[in-house]
Amino acid sequence: IMKPTDLIQLAVTAPSADNSQPWQFFDSLEGIVCRYKDRAIKQDPFGPLGHGTLMSAGALLENINTLRSDQGAPPRVFFDAKSWRIVMNTPTWSGSPDPASIKLLCARHTNRHPFTSLPTNPLHEPKNPFSARKLLLTDQDSIKQLTKALTECSIARFNSKELHEWLFSSLRWTQADVDSGTGLDFKTLHLPPGGRQFMQWIAPWERMQLLNRFGIYRILAAADSALFRQAPGVIAFVGGQAPEDILECGQLMQRTWLTLNAQGIAVHPYYVLTDLSNRLRQKKLDERWSKKIITAQAIATELLQLNKDEQVHMLFRIGTPLKTPVRSRRLPVATFIANDLGKR
């Protein structure tokens, strides 16, 4: 039988925004509880109920359900005005997970490198009991249209000081920083020759701001969308905008991700369309770029036939990998555990 610490170590293999790992587990009268924990060097731009956090929480919940024993009730999710929490009855963790489930979670990864065509065999589709839905696009015209939406959003992102500083606070350039288990190892990125040096040079916002006066953001946005344009396939995850809907979409995203990787299909998530659309809705976006995001939303709405109450929650670029990627590390499991839970 695995200890809770061993199971938590597997659960936190779930993806999170720039590998921010915003989770904390502790013992309570309710059972084992997981809640939001800000671990970012810079202030987390999402916060406890932000979209990126809720997607991560959903992915974590999907991992917990993949690992849990058949004894007892499934985990429960609660929301209040400030945050969320996942509550697990002790029997949920009392068994030993199926080795295949452990392998499934440990094999999930992001691949930011080029892909080749999808397998000719039909993709295995996991069950979808959630409120969210997904759409698979393989025709190049649709993918090119969606690429236009991504590019418009990327232009706005490269002109945002907050998003620029968040990204560069997440990048890890030295082995010591990579070994800390936080953020994104620069080796996980698909950079051209000289790309590392250029990225490090533009890390200070003042330099990026200066280059933007000469239109560098247009070049970077085009480069950022290039692999998406060439994608053999794209999956769009869409659904409602309530916190419960977003968390469920995170579950569907993770279930799909695990299934794709198990079939040997690589996954590269793209979040910029969702992120910038949310910022526009929350009036956190410079008005100079609002028109571009509205244009991007219109493209996505028409192409994906979104209902009035739906939004795009995540996009996946998928295909057969050409290169085995470096995988982002995780923090030591003790970091995620509070009070006496680690002594069980």
Side-chain angles (χ1 to χ4, degrees):
I1 295 177
M2 300 183 89
K3 297 179 180 179
T5 50
D6 298 324
L7 291 161
I8 289 169
Q9 189 166 22
L10 291 167
V12 298
T13 61
S16 57
D18 288 353
N19 199 26
S20 53
Q21 305 169 66
W23 310 299
Q24 188 82 26
F25 292 80
F26 63 97
D27 231 342
S28 78
L29 294 176
E30 296 177 288
I32 298 174
V33 178
C34 178
R35 64 184 176 192
Y36 171 81
K37 172 76 172 178
D38 185 358
R39 304 185 186 282
I41 294 176
K42 297 283 291 184
Q43 183 177 2
D44 182 354
F46 299 108
L49 291 174
H51 187 280
T53 301
L54 292 173
M55 289 289 286
S56 298
L60 182 81
L61 177 59
E62 183 62 22
N63 277 7
I64 291 169
N65 279 325
T66 301
L67 290 166
R68 74 182 181 89
S69 70
D70 292 331
Q71 303 175 41
R76 294 164 290 155
V77 181
F78 299 92
F79 294 91
D80 58 39
K82 294 183 178 179
S83 191
W84 53 270
R85 70 186 191 280
I86 298 171
V87 180
M88 294 147 278
N89 294 330
T90 302
T92 297
W93 298 83
S94 62
S96 183
D98 176 42
S101 297
I102 296 174
K103 182 179 180 182
L104 194 67
L105 268 58
C106 292
R108 187 211 61 82
H109 61 283
T110 298
N111 190 327
R112 297 183 177 90
H113 301 289
F115 304 154
T116 187
S117 59
L118 287 166
T120 53
N121 296 330
L123 301 182
H124 173 67
E125 290 290 328
K127 291 182 180 179
N128 179 13
F130 309 114
S131 60
R133 59 192 179 92
K134 63 182 182 180
L135 299 92
L136 172 63
L137 306 176
T138 55
D139 65 289
Q140 290 304 301
D141 287 341
S142 295
I143 292 173
K144 285 179 180 178
Q145 283 298 310
L146 210 47
T147 303
K148 290 180 182 178
L150 256 66
T151 304
E152 295 289 83
C153 292
S154 289
I155 286 173
R157 180 183 65 182
F158 285 118
N159 280 278
S160 168
K161 178 181 179 181
E162 181 186 12
L163 296 180
H164 180 89
E165 291 182 341
W166 162 259
L167 170 62
F168 281 91
S169 72
S170 302
L171 290 175
R172 302 292 177 261
W173 301 103
T174 68
Q175 192 59 49
D177 287 342
V178 169
D179 290 343
S180 71
T182 64
L184 300 176
D185 183 346
F186 83 93
K187 293 177 183 176
T188 66
L189 307 178
H190 180 65
L191 296 176
R196 172 181 177 173
Q197 291 77 9
F198 177 74
M199 290 281 285
Q200 288 180 294
W201 190 80
I202 65 170
W205 171 246
E206 294 73 18
R207 287 181 183 167
M208 185 66 187
Q209 197 173 29
L210 175 63
L211 290 174
N212 278 344
R213 295 178 186 175
F214 300 96
I216 190 68
Y217 60 87
R218 295 186 182 279
I219 298 172
L220 292 175
D224 197 41
S225 304
L227 287 179
F228 192 92
R229 179 183 290 275
Q230 301 162 13
V234 166
I235 295 177
F237 295 90
V238 305
Q241 299 175 21
E244 296 87 348
D245 295 328
I246 300 169
L247 190 139
E248 281 204 2
C249 193
Q251 290 183 263
L252 176 61
M253 175 193 74
Q254 178 70 346
R255 183 173 296 191
T256 304
W257 202 333
L258 293 170
T259 305
L260 289 171
N261 283 171
Q263 296 176 73
I265 298 171
V267 172
H268 180 183
Y270 283 75
Y271 189 63
V272 67
L273 174 61
T274 302
D275 196 13
L276 272 292
S277 296
N278 287 338
R279 293 175 74 81
L280 177 66
R281 190 179 302 111
Q282 297 160 4
K283 299 182 178 179
K284 294 182 178 179
L285 189 66
D286 189 315
E287 290 184 1
R288 293 178 298 167
W289 311 111
S290 296
K291 188 175 181 180
K292 288 189 173 295
I293 308 309
I294 292 170
T295 298
Q297 288 178 322
I299 292 171
T301 297
E302 181 178 357
L303 181 65
L304 303 174
Q305 295 295 292
L306 300 183
N307 298 323
K308 187 175 180 180
D309 62 340
E310 288 185 319
Q311 73 169 103
V312 176
H313 289 295
M314 184 66 75
L315 295 171
F316 278 0
R317 175 175 68 95
I318 64 171
T320 303
L322 293 171
K323 182 177 180 180
T324 301
V326 172
R327 301 185 186 184
S328 292
R329 306 281 188 89
R330 290 293 185 271
L331 289 161
V333 66
T335 310
F336 299 102
I337 298 172
N339 58 41
D340 294 330
L341 179 54
K343 298 179 182 178
R344 282 197 183 189

